[in-house]
Amino acid sequence: ELTLGEGFDGVTQVQGFHSESRAFHFQGSSREVKAPVEVSEQMVQKLRGKNEFTLLVTLKQDHLNSGVILSIHHSEHRFLELESSGQRSEVRLHYRTKGQQAHTEVFPYSLADDQWHKVSVAISASHVILHVDCNRIYERVVEPPYMDIPEDASFWLGQRNAAHGFFKGVMQDVEILVMPQGYISQCPDLNRTCPTCNDFHGLVQKIMELQDILAKTSSKLSRAEEKMNGLDSCYCERTCSVKGVVYREDEGWTDGCRNCTCTNGTVQCEAISCPPPQCPAGTAPAYVKDACCKECQREWTNEGDKDRTMHRVAPSEPCPELKCPQSEQVTLSDRCCKVCRGHDFCSEGHGCMEHSDCVNLEAGDCCVCKDGFRSLRDDNAYCEDIDECADGKHYCRENTMCVNTPGSFMCICHTGYIRIDDYSCTEHDECLSGLHNCDENALCFNMVGGHSCSCKPGYTGNGTVCKAMCDGLCQNGGTCVSPNNCVCQQGFTGKRCETDINECKTGRNTCANDTVCFNLEGGYDCRCPHGHNCTGDCIHDNKVKHSGQIWVLDSDRCSVCSCQAGQVMCRRMVCDCDNPNADLFCCPECDPRLSSQCLHQNGLLTYGSGDTWVENCQQCQCLQGQVDCWPLPCPPVDCEFTVVPEGECCPRCVTDPCQADTIRNDITKTCTDEHSISRFSGSSWIKHGTECTLCQCKNGHICCSVDPMCL
């Protein structure tokens, strides 16, 4: 059982779920009510591959609202979505079939009547049952849903996504029960009496799986025996790669003045500790090439050595001619030939290792650690990185985080802050920059790490959506469009629609000459004088209507009827968008408010109220800011194999089963595979001897194709 409530974010008026006293109140369109990633992953694990489950909800939907109750989708694909359309009085179940085709099952029924309803949609393989208020409304056989839902699918409540399908009203007790006939938990009196379609489909699936296992067992056993024979000689370990050299687990090596070890695939190093050498007489500690610590080296002197003497010998090769004056020539203690002042000793070779630079001196060279590195020994030949962040040797100010880098560090701004310089960050003023989501009739207040929105005086809402406060402002059915502006219905005028128009005095009536005009609130009536029979009277709904009288139908406020010479004439109300008193409910195309416009699914086009368009084989309409879409009608096809050609919306019959994407499966028509095993229609298998060739039985025909992604 998945109880959907506590895992959803985005609605401020939420007090919980699973209790009749707590509910979700949905209004407006600036909301994103979807489950967090960890909750979505949990739901996907419970639903993936399931062929039997039930969607349950108790709701009260606003009159004429069209919105999504629950949507599970990934990218542009709706894997499971329940939608209620008040504009067309339909309940729609959207899902994807096993052939990866989008499918919509439409149930003509109106939930958007501002009344409480218990709704359940039970899916059992190819069997769908819709219950409303514990009454079985529809029971159909459909193509089974494809429930291999991706792990990163999104779960939305009360909307399809952040821009479309907004449900308006109240929802509570939203559940997904992964069990047969889950509607019994909502209506206990509906007892289970018969096996479900999923029971039968499960039996057929098990037989198909056994067939597939039988076909593969022999080759799998053979390969398994070969692998098992070599298992004893296998040993797996994680290695380390350093400067192109691969080291095995627990293997150690010396990297300059550091001892390193490969531990579980990670290199761990520590500086070498050099003990002071105990050198005998005649020797002294000194660094030697390719060694980190000092070693005892023989010491040459002229004094105190009676057995040996030092003599100057002529060089084997003459000294090179120097290109500098005598005053700029320098005599060195460790070589015979003079050099010019400023000689590049580093170019002759040096012992400065990685992260250490060679620097020329007057009579030689030395090593100096690069900036951000410290010496591992006193001659600076070996250096290691300084972690300025750990040692506190950085300049990162408040609102930043220090991150160590080789030889330096970086100051990263905290979320909600922008950079001033390399070391400082300040709060990002979204209000000043305009990067906020406040309504045009709201005030933006900058806050630490973000901002808040508050509606202006005269408006109400959550700040991201603000509407004019119209309580008691507009009278006689007028529509409020701003705190001080009302659009009046026909027959009324005034700032607050408080004044009735006297059609009799102003001459705005069509009464015949033998009738008397009587002004009414919001209209007028043409009556016969007492004792007279007026010409052209009409009888409508068992009521007398006088000639020239105009009235609005009680059952349809958008239809206008008139009595003309004894005949009742009714028509749809003519919309005059230049008339400021036009009824926006009947004339949505006259609605100038931005809140009544709709955004196209691609987010690039805007439609006015009343506009229609076609998108992804669906007819869509914008009505007072709400988008409602329903499948385009297709002519029925009565054939075994069908396909929907690219760029078209309706299926066509084909004779080649391998070209069909939809099949009317007949399990009595079996196929015989390469192992001489019978396969049911609808089953699939990997062709023997291949890895990427998938075969499928289609009513006695075998169709095979290569999967390019597998290759």
Side-chain angles (χ1 to χ4, degrees), residues 238-248 253 262 265-267:
R238 298 185 66 182
T239 61
C240 303
S241 179
V242 179
K243 300 178 181 179
V245 180
V246 177
Y247 297 95
R248 301 184 62 179
W253 68 96
C262 180
T266 302
V267 177

Side-chain angles (χ1 to χ4, degrees), residues 374-394:
R374 58 188 165 205
S375 175
L376 288 172
R377 68 183 198 185
D378 53 13
D379 66 347
N380 298 330
Y382 293 88
C383 304
E384 67 175 354
D385 176 50
I386 299 174
D387 190 342
E388 294 86 355
C389 300
D391 295 347
K393 298 179 179 180
H394 61 83

